[in-house]
Amino acid sequence: MSSELESLYQQIILDHAKRRVGQGSVDPSSGAGSELAAGCSTGESHQLNPICGDEVTLRVWLADSRIERVAWEGAGCAISMASASVLTELVSGSTRDDMMEQLDCFRELMRSRGTVVPDEEVLGDAAAFAGVSRFPARVKCAMLAWVALEEAVLAANS
Amino acid sequence: MSSELESLYQQIILDHAKRRVGQGSVDPSSGAGSELAAGCSTGESHQLNPICGDEVTLRVWLADSRIERVAWEGAGCAISMASASVLTELVSGSTRDDMMEQLDCFRELMRSRGTVVPDEEVLGDAAAFAGVSRFPARVKCAMLAWVALEEAVLAANS
Amino acid sequence: MPILSAPSHPLANDEVARIRNDFPLLANELNGRPLIYLDSGATSQNPVSVMEAEQEYYEQRNAAVHRGAHTLAVEATDAYENARSLVASFVGASPEEIIFTSNATEALNLVAYSLSNASSGRGGEAARPYALGPGDSIVVTEMEHHANLIPWQELAARTGASLRYIPVDDDGALRLEEAAAVIDGSTKLLAFTHVSNVLGTINPVAELVALARKVGALTVLDACQSVPHLPIDVTELDVDFMAFSGHKMLGPTGIGALYGRSKHLRAMPPFLTGGSMITTVTMERAEYLPPPSRFEAGTQRISQAVALGSAVNYLAETGMARIEEWERLLGERLVAGLEAVEGIRVLGPRSGQPRIGLASFDVDGVHAHDVGQYLASRGIAVRVGHHCAQPLHRRLGLTASTRASTYLYNTTDEVDAFLTAVTEVRSFFGASAIGGSV
Amino acid sequence: MPILSAPSHPLANDEVARIRNDFPLLANELNGRPLIYLDSGATSQNPVSVMEAEQEYYEQRNAAVHRGAHTLAVEATDAYENARSLVASFVGASPEEIIFTSNATEALNLVAYSLSNASSGRGGEAARPYALGPGDSIVVTEMEHHANLIPWQELAARTGASLRYIPVDDDGALRLEEAAAVIDGSTKLLAFTHVSNVLGTINPVAELVALARKVGALTVLDACQSVPHLPIDVTELDVDFMAFSGHKMLGPTGIGALYGRSKHLRAMPPFLTGGSMITTVTMERAEYLPPPSRFEAGTQRISQAVALGSAVNYLAETGMARIEEWERLLGERLVAGLEAVEGIRVLGPRSGQPRIGLASFDVDGVHAHDVGQYLASRGIAVRVGHHCAQPLHRRLGLTASTRASTYLYNTTDEVDAFLTAVTEVRSFFGASAIGGSV
Ligand SMILES: Cc1ncc(COP(=O)(O)O)c(C=O)c1O
Ligand SMILES: Cc1ncc(COP(=O)(O)O)c(C=O)c1O
Ligand code: FES
Ligand code: FES
C-alpha cells in the first residue's frame, strides 16, 4: 500500500470513522435532564461542503465558558466523519479558550500543505490529520466539523 | 512596388476608381424624358458590405430585357468604386441574359482564389479584377455593385 | 463523416498502444505509479497534433479574425472558418449552423438567453414564435447534468413558464411512458441528454424528438457525452439544437459548440452582443449579422477553434465507428467486472445493455471520495462526487458516486487494473469486515 | 504590482530587440518583407513562455478543476487559481474579485445580464438594488467600442431603462461639461472606456467616477486598451467593474476577465448557469456558490487562464511603467510623424498630448482599406475599418480609418518605416495629384 495513502488515512482516522463519537441527535433538548446543567447555553451550526455536497450539523452546550457537550449529525467521507468524532472527544470539557486554540492550531495545520509539524499536546488525536494537509481537495473534509464547532460556539454565546 | 499590390490595383482599376462611370442620382425619374423610353421598367438595390460599412445603391432601367441604363450612389474603397464603374460601362446596352452570364463569370472569378483565368471576351475591363480573388478580404468589395445589379434587375422584373 | 480515411478493422490493444504515444500526458505517473486515466468523461487528453496546431497558429497566423486587410488577419479568418467547417461536417451540419462557444454550458445558456430575449420582445416579428411566457412549459429529464437543467430553471423563472421533467426509474432509465403525459400542448421546449454522464445510458432520441415534434416543441440535445464517443449525424438525430464541449473530445479547454437548425438561428435574437456580430450601429440601436456571426460577439476563440478542428480530424481519422465499438467493449468489461465485486452497486444499465465506456458505482460502506482517493493511490484517476447531477443522485438514494470513464486511448489492461483496485477498497476501509457501514 | 523584479532603467531599442526574440511570430514575413506588426490594439502576439505554459499544462496537469480527488485535478485547480491570483494582483484586485470570461465582450455582457436578471426579480432581496426599470437611465459615451455599447442598448431595451451618452467634440474628446447633465438622479450605471481603441485618448476616470458616485450609479470601465499598456490599480481607479481581454496582453485568445467589487458580486445573481457554480440543486431550483465561482459556470478555460497568468508575469517582469513610457514615446513619434504628412488627418489628441502607442488617421482621397492594403504590401500590418466604433466614426465624419498600434516589442525603426510607407500612399492611388478625391 502506498505510504501517501497511509499518511492520509492514519489508523486513528479509520477507527474514528467507524466509531463516530458524538454522532447522534442534535436536538437542543437531547441529553437534557441528565448531566447538563439547566444554565447551559447551546448553539447549532450546519455546514455544507460544496465540493461534494456532504453536510454536518453540530450542536454545543456551554456552561461557564466550558464545553459541556458536543453532538453532531451528518454523513460524509471517512475524513470528515473521523474529524467530527475526534473533535468531539477532544473539546468536550475544554474551556472555550482552549478550544479556540485547538481550532486555530488545527486550521493552521490544515492550511500548511504538509509544512507544519502538528502540536500533539494541543491537538491530541487530531494530530493524526496532519497528512490531510498534503491533499488540498480533502482539507475541507477535515475542517467541516471544526467550522461547524466554531459557529455553534458563536451561536451559543450570542 | 510589390507586384502583389499591382496585381490587385491594376491601372484600369485605379483609373475607374477616379472616373466612376455611372455615379450619380439613382432617383427613378433621373434621366427621364431623355433617352429612356417611357416603357422602361426600373429597379433599385442597396447593398452594405458588413466588413467595412461601405454601401452602394444601384438602379437599372430595363426595356425589352435590355439594360438601358445603370446609375449608382455610394462610397467605398478603390476596388468597390472601380467595380461599380466598370460594371456600368460593361452591362449598359447588354441583354439581361448577357448580363447574367457576365455576373456568373465575374462571381466565379472572384471565388477562385487566383485559380481561374478571366474570360476577357465576356468580362471586358472587369477582367482586370482577377487579382482581387487572391485577396479574400477584398472580394466583397469587388462584388458589392454586382450583387446590387443582380437584385436591381430582379426588382425591375417583378 | 466526410473524412473517409479511417481504417475499417476494429480497434485493438496493439493499435491503442500506438495511439497512446500521441498523448504525452498519459506517460505521466500518478502517486508514483503509471497513470491510468479513467476520467475522460470529465475531460479528455490532447494529442500532440492538437497542441501543435495551436502553437503553429500562434507562431504563424495570430491575428483578430473577420476584421483586417493584412494577410495575417486573412489567414486567421481562414483558419477559424476552416475549423468551423471541420466541426460541422464531423456532426453532419452545415458550417453556418455551428456556433463556437466556451463550452457546452455556454451553448445551452445561449439558447436559453436567446429565447429569454425573444420573450422580452427582442428580435421583432421573426423572433415572436420563440417567446415563452406563463402557461408555457419547458421539459427536461431527471437525469440531466446541471448545465442542461439550471439554465432552463432560470429561463422559466424569468419568463413565467413552468419547468417539468421526465422522471427516471430506480435503475436510472427514463420513464418514457410518463414522457408522453409530461410533454403536452403547453410544451415549448424539450431539453435532454443524449448520453447520461452518470449512467452511460444512451437515450432514445428518436422517440423523444417525436413526442416534442407532435406538440411543436423545440428540441435541445446535450451531446457532451455522445459527440466525443459515437458517430453523430445531427440531421439523422433531427434535433433543433445540440451542444457539446471541445475539452471532452481531444480538444483544448475554452471551446465548445452549439449546433442550431438554420431556420431557428436566422430568426432568433442574439445572446452576447458587441463587435463582429453587427452590420450597422448607432448610439440608439444595432442591426445584427446573420448566423453564425450573430451569435459570436467579440474576439473569437481562434486558436481554440483551430485546435478543435485538429482534434476532430484526429477522431475522424481514427474512425468514430471504431472508437464507439472499442469503448462499447471497454464499457462492458467495466460493468461486468464491477458487478462481480461484492458490495458494489453499478448505476444505470446492467451488463449486456447498451452504454458508452463509462460506469458509475457505489461502494457499500465507503464514501465515493474515499474510493477515489484509494484508486488515486494506485495511479488510477477517476471522478467522484455528484458529477453535476445532484437530482439524479438524490433519486438513486445517493449523494455521490465514483465514475470510471474511458476513451480511445484506454486499454483492457487499464480496465483490469482498475477492477483489481476496486476489489481492495472495502477491506482497506474496513467496510467489508463490518458488513457495510463505516 | 506585487512583482517587483522589473528593472528601473527605461526601455530602449536594444532591449526591445532582445524582447522580440521571445515572440516567434514577429520573425515572420508579410508579403515577402519583414513583418512590421502594428496591430497589437486588435490582438497582441504571444511570447514563447506563454505558449510553453499552456503546453506544459496539457502535458502534465490537464484535468477538470474543482471537481476531483485525483492529483491531476488538484494540480489543475491549483494552476487555475494561481492564474487568478496573478491576474488579480496585476490589476490590484483580490482573487475573488476576478472572474474569468472568454473576452472583454463577455465580461461586459456578464454585468449587463446579471443586472437584467436582477431586474427580472432573480437573486432575491440582495439583488434588488441592481434592478433597472423604466425611469432609470444607463449612461455610456459616444466613443465606446460596440462591446461597451450594444450590451447596454439591449439591457435598456429589456428593462425599459433609457440609454444616454456623453458626446464627444470634433477632436473626439469627451465633452465633460455635458457629462454632468447627462448623468443625473435617474442614472443607475455609467459605462465608459478607459482608453479609446480609436483615438488612443486616456479618459479622466476620476472625474467620471466622481460624477457617477454623486448620483449613486455603478461604474463599468472598459479597460481593454489600458490594462495591456498602463500600470493599473483598480482600487485607485475606484470603479465597480472593469473588463479586459487576454489576447490583447500577450495572452491567448479565448480568455478575458471581469473585475467586480466584492460587495456587488456577492449580491448579484448569476449570469451563465450550470455546473461548478452551485451548492445544492433540486429539479426545482438551485443555490449558488459565492463569487467568483458563481459567475464561472461549466468547465473553465483552464489552460487559457494558466497562459494568461504567464503573460501577466511576462508583463510584470518587464515592468508596466517602463512599457507605458516606451509606448508613450512610440505613440508620440507616430502622431508627430503622421501630422507631418500632407493630406493626413490624425484622429484624437494632437501630438504632445497624452495617448498610448496608438494612432488612427484618415488619408484624404484614399479609403482606409486601400491604405491598409498598401501598407500590407510593405510588410506592415495595421487595422482598417470602423474598429467596432461606428458611432464615433460617424461623429467624426468618417466610415473608416486606418489604425497603427504598438506594444512593448515595437521599435522606433518600425514606426519610421511605417511613416515612410504612409507618405507613399496618396501618390500610389493618385490622390495627391488630383487634390483629395479619388
Ligand atoms: C476598447 C475596447 N473594448 C472592447 C473590446 C472588445 O474586446 P474583445 O473583442 O476581446 O472582447 C476591444 C477590442 O476589440 C477594445 O479595444
Ligand atoms: C452530459 C453533460 N452535459 C454538460 C456538461 C457540461 O460541459 P462543460 O462543463 O464543458 O460546459 C457535461 C460535462 O461536464 C456533461 O457530461
Ligand atoms: S468528501 Fe465530502 S466531506 Fe469529505
Ligand atoms: S473596403 Fe468597403 S467596399 Fe471595399
Side-chain angles (χ1 to χ4, degrees):
Chain A
M1 200 51 47
S2 98
S3 64
E4 271 280 303
L5 194 70
E6 282 165 352
S7 84
L8 177 62
Y9 295 109
Q10 303 269 330
Q11 197 54 48
I12 285 186
I13 295 181
L14 292 177
D15 289 348
H16 266 282
K18 277 182 272 181
R19 265 205 290 152
R20 303 195 177 179
V21 179
Q23 192 173 32
S25 169
V26 295
D27 193 73
S29 61
S30 73
S34 61
E35 78 275 26
L36 288 179
C40 265
S41 67
T42 180
E44 185 185 295
S45 165
H46 170 252
Q47 292 295 324
L48 170 79
N49 182 344
I51 295 173
C52 55
D54 291 326
E55 303 173 74
V56 159
T57 307
L58 184 145
R59 175 170 292 280
V60 287
W61 285 262
L62 288 168
D64 287 341
S65 290
R66 184 173 296 278
I67 295 170
E68 295 293 332
R69 187 172 162 236
V70 175
W72 57 273
E73 289 173 359
C77 64
I79 308 287
S80 63
M81 296 294 99
S83 187
S85 173
V86 167
L87 162 163
T88 305
E89 238 176 42
L90 188 68
V91 305
S92 296
S94 298
T95 64
R96 206 183 156 284
D97 289 348
D98 285 350
M99 179 229 97
M100 280 301 179
E101 192 196 339
Q102 288 160 332
L103 170 60
D104 287 345
C105 188
F106 191 76
R107 185 176 270 141
E108 192 202 336
L109 180 64
M110 286 303 102
R111 288 184 179 160
S112 73
R113 297 218 161 185
T115 60
V116 162
V117 178
D119 184 338
E120 298 209 25
E121 236 166 81
V122 176
L123 291 179
D125 278 0
F129 289 86
V132 177
S133 71
R134 264 179 286 132
F135 295 83
R138 308 304 298 276
V139 167
K140 277 223 169 85
C141 306
M143 285 302 303
L144 203 62
W146 284 93
V147 173
L149 173 67
E150 185 176 27
E151 297 211 345
V153 167
L154 225 66
N157 282 337
S158 64
Chain B
M1 201 49 49
S2 98
S3 64
E4 270 280 303
L5 193 69
E6 282 164 351
S7 83
L8 177 64
Y9 295 110
Q10 303 270 329
Q11 198 54 49
I12 286 184
I13 295 180
L14 291 178
D15 290 347
H16 268 282
K18 276 182 274 181
R19 266 204 291 150
R20 301 196 178 180
V21 179
Q23 192 173 31
S25 169
V26 295
D27 193 71
S29 60
S30 74
S34 60
E35 77 278 20
L36 288 179
C40 265
S41 67
T42 181
E44 185 185 295
S45 165
H46 170 252
Q47 292 295 323
L48 170 80
N49 183 342
I51 294 174
C52 55
D54 291 327
E55 303 175 71
V56 160
T57 308
L58 184 146
R59 175 170 292 279
V60 286
W61 285 264
L62 288 168
D64 286 341
S65 289
R66 185 173 295 278
I67 295 170
E68 294 294 332
R69 186 170 162 240
V70 175
W72 56 274
E73 288 173 357
C77 64
I79 308 286
S80 65
M81 295 295 98
S83 187
S85 173
V86 166
L87 162 163
T88 304
E89 239 177 40
L90 187 70
V91 306
S92 295
S94 297
T95 63
R96 205 183 156 286
D97 288 351
D98 285 351
M99 179 232 93
M100 280 301 179
E101 192 196 339
Q102 289 160 333
L103 170 61
D104 287 347
C105 190
F106 191 77
R107 184 175 272 141
E108 192 201 337
L109 180 63
M110 286 303 101
R111 287 183 180 163
S112 75
R113 299 219 160 182
T115 62
V116 163
V117 179
D119 185 337
E120 296 209 25
E121 238 166 80
V122 176
L123 291 179
D125 279 2
F129 288 86
V132 176
S133 71
R134 263 178 286 131
F135 294 83
R138 307 306 296 276
V139 167
K140 278 225 168 85
C141 306
M143 285 303 303
L144 201 62
W146 284 92
V147 172
L149 174 66
E150 184 176 27
E151 297 212 344
V153 167
L154 224 67
N157 282 336
S158 64
Chain C
M1 240 101 33
I3 303 142
L4 296 168
S5 57
S8 58
H9 60 271
L11 262 182
N13 280 315
D14 55 345
E15 189 178 346
V16 170
R18 283 198 301 278
I19 285 177
R20 291 175 68 84
N21 292 333
D22 296 337
F23 293 81
L25 189 133
L26 298 179
N28 281 11
E29 296 201 328
L30 182 61
N31 295 319
R33 309 211 174 201
L35 169 65
I36 295 179
Y37 189 73
L38 290 173
D39 197 14
S40 294
T43 205
S44 62
Q45 298 303 336
N46 294 8
V48 170
S49 53
V50 166
M51 296 186 246
E52 282 175 353
E54 192 152 5
Q55 179 151 356
E56 193 260 0
Y57 171 79
Y58 282 115
E59 291 185 356
Q60 306 289 336
R61 297 180 286 176
N62 182 34
V65 299
H66 294 154
R67 294 206 199 159
H70 61 76
T71 323
L72 283 176
V74 172
E75 287 184 6
T77 307
D78 281 358
Y80 183 67
E81 292 304 328
N82 182 45
R84 192 196 304 282
S85 298
L86 287 170
V87 172
S89 70
F90 186 69
V91 298
S94 311
E96 70 274 13
E97 294 175 319
I98 294 294
I99 298 161
F100 284 125
T101 63
S102 290
N103 50 28
T105 301
E106 188 177 285
L108 294 162
N109 276 275
L110 189 163
V111 179
Y113 272 109
S114 179
L115 301 188
S116 189
N117 291 342
S119 311
S120 309
R122 306 303 298 154
E125 204 47 49
R128 193 82 71 74
Y130 299 88
L132 279 88
D136 292 330
S137 72
I138 301 166
V139 175
V140 297
T141 85
E142 203 177 6
M143 67 165 72
E144 295 311 311
H145 188 282
H146 296 159
N148 201 26
L149 168 60
I150 313 181
W152 310 119
Q153 290 180 344
E154 289 287 336
L155 174 63
R158 284 194 300 270
T159 59
S162 64
L163 184 77
R164 303 174 180 175
Y165 62 91
I166 305 171
V168 301
D169 64 22
D170 293 347
D171 286 338
L174 285 183
R175 297 176 56 163
L176 284 175
E177 67 287 3
E178 299 206 13
V182 176
I183 301 166
D184 65 16
S186 73
T187 306
K188 284 291 168 68
L189 184 136
L190 168 66
F192 64 100
T193 194
H194 192 180
V195 173
S196 159
N197 68 314
V198 176
L199 310 169
T201 335
I202 302 167
N203 281 322
V205 177
E207 273 182 68
L208 289 162
V209 167
L211 290 174
R213 193 63 43 81
K214 220 167 57 189
V215 298
L218 294 170
T219 48
V220 179
L221 190 70
D222 176 351
C224 273
Q225 298 292 345
S226 58
V227 165
H229 301 286
L230 311 175
I232 293 291
D233 184 329
V234 74
T235 9
E236 265 173 38
L237 293 175
D238 204 23
V239 290
D240 295 309
F241 301 95
M242 181 172 85
F244 51 101
S245 270
H247 68 93
K248 292 187 199 283
M249 50 194 284
L250 311 188
T253 60
I255 183 107
L258 176 71
Y259 158 85
R261 213 187 277 277
S262 262
K263 74 168 175 191
H264 299 315
L265 295 182
R266 278 200 295 263
M268 285 160 58
F271 163 43
L272 301 174
T273 56
S276 305
M277 47 81 73
I278 53 85
T279 55
T280 312
V281 179
T282 63
M283 287 309 291
E284 288 72 34
R285 63 193 308 275
E287 302 282 341
Y288 300 114
L289 281 169
S293 302
R294 184 188 301 163
F295 298 99
E296 291 182 352
T299 302
Q300 284 308 297
R301 305 144 182 97
I302 316 171
S303 75
Q304 290 79 31
V306 168
L308 181 56
S310 167
V312 149
N313 270 344
Y314 190 99
L315 289 171
E317 276 168 25
T318 308
M320 286 308 295
R322 299 169 76 226
I323 292 171
E324 173 186 28
E325 180 56 23
W326 178 245
E327 291 205 73
R328 203 190 53 68
L329 206 139
L330 294 177
E332 178 57 29
R333 196 176 186 107
L334 271 178
V335 175
L338 284 168
E339 284 179 351
V341 184
E342 210 200 301
I344 296 249
R345 167 185 170 202
V346 179
L347 312 183
R350 307 292 88 189
S351 119
Q353 287 178 264
R355 65 157 73 223
I356 62 165
L358 180 154
S360 299
F361 55 99
D362 178 51
V363 180
D364 190 24
V366 186
H367 190 282
H369 273 72
D370 295 321
V371 176
Q373 201 79 58
Y374 182 85
L375 295 175
S377 78
R378 315 294 301 212
I380 302 164
V382 296
R383 184 102 325 195
V384 295
H386 51 62
H387 317 306
C388 299
Q390 284 187 3
L392 176 61
H393 275 86
R394 204 173 288 119
R395 171 65 182 81
L396 300 175
L398 302 168
T399 57
S401 63
T402 305
R403 180 182 77 186
S405 55
T406 68
Y407 213 172
L408 73 167
Y409 40 59
N410 287 116
T411 63
T412 53
D413 281 354
E414 289 183 307
V415 170
D416 294 346
F418 158 79
L419 291 169
T420 303
V422 168
T423 58
E424 300 158 1
V425 168
R426 295 182 77 230
S427 74
F428 177 79
F429 289 101
S432 55
I434 60 157
S437 145
V438 178
Chain D
M1 238 103 31
I3 303 143
L4 296 167
S5 56
S8 58
H9 60 271
L11 261 183
N13 279 314
D14 55 345
E15 189 176 347
V16 170
R18 283 198 301 279
I19 286 178
R20 291 175 68 84
N21 292 333
D22 296 336
F23 293 81
L25 189 132
L26 298 179
N28 281 11
E29 296 201 330
L30 183 59
N31 295 318
R33 308 205 173 206
L35 169 65
I36 295 179
Y37 189 74
L38 290 173
D39 197 15
S40 294
T43 204
S44 61
Q45 298 303 335
N46 293 10
V48 170
S49 53
V50 166
M51 297 187 249
E52 281 175 354
E54 192 153 4
Q55 180 151 357
E56 193 260 359
Y57 171 79
Y58 282 115
E59 291 185 356
Q60 306 289 335
R61 296 180 286 175
N62 183 36
V65 300
H66 295 153
R67 293 206 200 159
H70 60 77
T71 321
L72 284 177
V74 172
E75 287 184 6
T77 306
D78 280 357
Y80 183 67
E81 292 304 329
N82 182 44
R84 192 195 305 280
S85 298
L86 287 170
V87 171
S89 69
F90 186 69
V91 298
S94 311
E96 71 274 13
E97 293 175 319
I98 294 294
I99 298 161
F100 284 124
T101 62
S102 291
N103 51 28
T105 302
E106 187 176 287
L108 294 162
N109 276 275
L110 189 163
V111 180
Y113 273 108
S114 179
L115 300 189
S116 189
N117 291 342
S119 309
S120 308
R122 306 303 299 152
E125 204 47 50
R128 193 81 73 75
Y130 299 88
L132 279 87
D136 292 331
S137 71
I138 301 165
V139 176
V140 297
T141 86
E142 204 177 4
M143 67 164 75
E144 295 311 312
H145 188 284
H146 296 159
N148 201 25
L149 169 59
I150 313 181
W152 310 119
Q153 290 180 345
E154 290 287 336
L155 174 62
R158 283 195 299 269
T159 58
S162 64
L163 184 77
R164 303 174 181 174
Y165 62 91
I166 305 170
V168 301
D169 65 21
D170 294 347
D171 287 337
L174 285 183
R175 297 175 58 162
L176 283 175
E177 65 289 3
E178 299 206 13
V182 175
I183 302 165
D184 66 15
S186 73
T187 306
K188 284 291 168 67
L189 183 136
L190 168 66
F192 64 100
T193 193
H194 192 180
V195 173
S196 159
N197 68 315
V198 176
L199 310 168
T201 335
I202 302 166
N203 282 322
V205 177
E207 274 181 67
L208 289 161
V209 167
L211 290 174
R213 193 62 44 82
K214 220 168 57 189
V215 299
L218 294 170
T219 48
V220 179
L221 190 70
D222 176 352
C224 273
Q225 298 293 345
S226 58
V227 165
H229 301 287
L230 311 175
I232 295 290
D233 184 329
V234 75
T235 9
E236 264 173 41
L237 293 173
D238 204 22
V239 291
D240 295 309
F241 301 94
M242 181 172 85
F244 51 102
S245 270
H247 68 94
K248 294 186 198 283
M249 49 194 288
L250 310 188
T253 61
I255 183 107
L258 175 72
Y259 158 85
R261 213 188 276 279
S262 262
K263 75 167 172 191
H264 300 315
L265 294 182
R266 277 200 295 261
M268 286 160 58
F271 163 43
L272 301 174
T273 55
S276 305
M277 46 82 73
I278 53 85
T279 55
T280 311
V281 179
T282 64
M283 287 310 292
E284 289 72 33
R285 64 191 309 276
E287 303 283 341
Y288 300 115
L289 281 169
S293 301
R294 184 189 300 165
F295 297 99
E296 293 182 351
T299 303
Q300 283 309 298
R301 305 143 182 98
I302 315 170
S303 75
Q304 291 78 32
V306 168
L308 181 57
S310 167
V312 148
N313 270 344
Y314 190 99
L315 289 170
E317 276 169 25
T318 309
M320 285 309 294
R322 300 170 75 227
I323 293 171
E324 173 185 30
E325 179 57 22
W326 179 244
E327 290 207 72
R328 204 191 51 71
L329 205 140
L330 294 177
E332 179 56 30
R333 196 175 185 109
L334 270 177
V335 174
L338 284 168
E339 284 179 350
V341 183
E342 211 201 301
I344 297 251
R345 168 187 169 203
V346 179
L347 313 183
R350 308 293 87 190
S351 119
Q353 288 178 261
R355 65 157 73 222
I356 62 164
L358 178 155
S360 300
F361 55 100
D362 179 50
V363 180
D364 191 24
V366 187
H367 190 282
H369 272 72
D370 296 321
V371 176
Q373 201 79 58
Y374 181 85
L375 295 175
S377 78
R378 316 293 303 213
I380 301 163
V382 297
R383 183 102 326 195
V384 295
H386 50 61
H387 316 308
C388 299
Q390 286 186 4
L392 175 61
H393 276 86
R394 204 173 287 120
R395 172 65 183 81
L396 300 175
L398 301 168
T399 57
S401 63
T402 305
R403 181 183 76 186
S405 55
T406 68
Y407 213 171
L408 72 166
Y409 40 59
N410 288 116
T411 64
T412 54
D413 281 352
E414 289 184 305
V415 170
D416 295 345
F418 159 78
L419 290 169
T420 303
V422 168
T423 59
E424 299 158 1
V425 168
R426 295 183 77 231
S427 75
F428 177 80
F429 288 101
S432 54
I434 60 159
S437 147
V438 178

